[in-house]
Amino acid sequence: MVLALTHRSFAGRNNERLEFLGDAILNFVAGEALFDRFPLAREGQLSRLRARLVKGETLAVLARGFELGEYLRLGSGELKSGGFRRESILADALEALIGAIYLDAGMEAARDRVLAWLASEFETLTLVDTNKDPKTRLQEFLQSRACELPRYEVVDIQGEPHCRIFFVECEIALLNEKSRGQGVSRRIAEQVAAAAALIALGVENGHE
């Protein structure tokens, strides 16, 4: 696992090979899960959904939720420039970690970990306009009906610093009850809550 956290600025023997392996595993596991979850989806839709799941921004958010940056081995230059916060470095390290899990514990362990990390993201996915996230879709739906924009509030944070879970409520005037979401970051929890609101409004069912 130490090698997975070693950036190329720190040493010649670094996490780049593990990153390559982890990237392949991540894409396969995400693709397999989407194939099962959306049996009627076309190839292009599945590809767009997978791209959302495995993009650098998503992986970096997950890594920040684990405070992965605190454990990275970086060269002095990267340390001074704040490399432990950089999206690309965090995303690459998470992929390397997936590769290391696969080598240490096998494919099933790697699959289980990837699916657990992406569980909240999966809840936000829908085949309706896969280019826009749930918060954007909810905002546009409300604006089209001249309604007030949704209000999001973090109501609880649980877990240790390296595995926090955020609980968010979304309040909109068209619903009597607040929708709820949870995830490893505030952003993901808000997306889950927005997706739940869209379902409650009858706009989406989440599994077209």
Side-chain angles (χ1 to χ4, degrees):
M1 289 296 177
V2 173
L3 186 60
L5 301 174
T6 303
H7 187 255
R8 65 176 178 271
S9 64
F10 185 86
R13 189 164 181 265
N14 53 62
N15 64 6
E16 288 184 333
R17 283 172 52 84
L18 285 174
E19 174 202 336
F20 168 81
L21 182 60
D23 175 70
I25 294 167
L26 175 63
N27 275 276
F28 170 74
V29 171
E32 180 186 49
L34 290 169
F35 184 86
D36 292 337
R37 188 180 181 90
F38 297 98
L40 301 180
R42 297 183 300 276
E43 183 272 339
Q45 291 174 306
L46 292 174
S47 293
R48 287 193 294 273
L49 289 174
R50 183 175 61 181
R52 279 183 52 191
L53 284 173
V54 304
K55 65 183 180 180
E57 179 187 354
T58 300
L59 301 182
V61 167
L62 290 171
R64 290 189 185 102
F66 311 146
E67 295 190 352
L68 193 60
E70 300 299 317
Y71 303 95
L72 294 179
R73 302 169 80 199
L74 301 171
S76 58
E78 286 292 352
L79 279 173
K80 291 177 182 177
S81 64
F84 60 92
R85 291 190 297 266
R86 190 168 301 135
E87 180 178 293
S88 60
I89 290 179
L90 289 170
D92 291 348
L94 190 65
E95 289 180 336
L97 202 56
I98 293 168
I101 292 171
Y102 167 75
L103 292 178
D104 286 349
M107 187 62 190
E108 287 307 310
R111 177 187 282 109
D112 290 347
R113 189 76 335 249
V114 168
L115 293 178
W117 286 342
L118 294 178
S120 297
E121 286 286 345
F122 269 109
E123 292 305 313
T124 73
L125 297 179
T126 172
L127 296 182
V128 178
D129 196 349
T130 54
N131 291 317
K132 294 180 180 178
D133 60 68
K135 285 184 67 175
T136 301
R137 296 198 300 272
L138 178 60
Q139 179 174 315
E140 291 180 352
F141 173 82
L142 295 174
Q143 288 176 327
S144 71
R145 284 156 180 76
C147 296
E148 292 184 12
L149 295 181
R151 292 182 292 277
Y152 298 93
E153 180 184 3
V154 177
V155 294
D156 194 15
I157 302 174
Q158 298 181 8
E160 299 298 321
H162 65 283
C163 56
R164 286 194 179 116
I165 300 295
F166 291 76
F167 295 82
V168 166
E169 289 184 343
C170 172
E171 181 180 4
I172 60 176
L174 294 181
L175 293 175
N176 293 326
E177 295 186 0
K178 299 176 182 178
S179 60
R180 295 175 175 83
Q182 66 183 71
V184 296
S185 71
R186 176 174 180 161
R187 183 187 71 84
I188 292 176
E190 288 178 349
Q191 297 287 11
V192 175
L198 287 165
I199 293 171
L201 289 165
V203 180
E204 301 175 6
N205 62 37
H207 297 281
E208 282 87 348

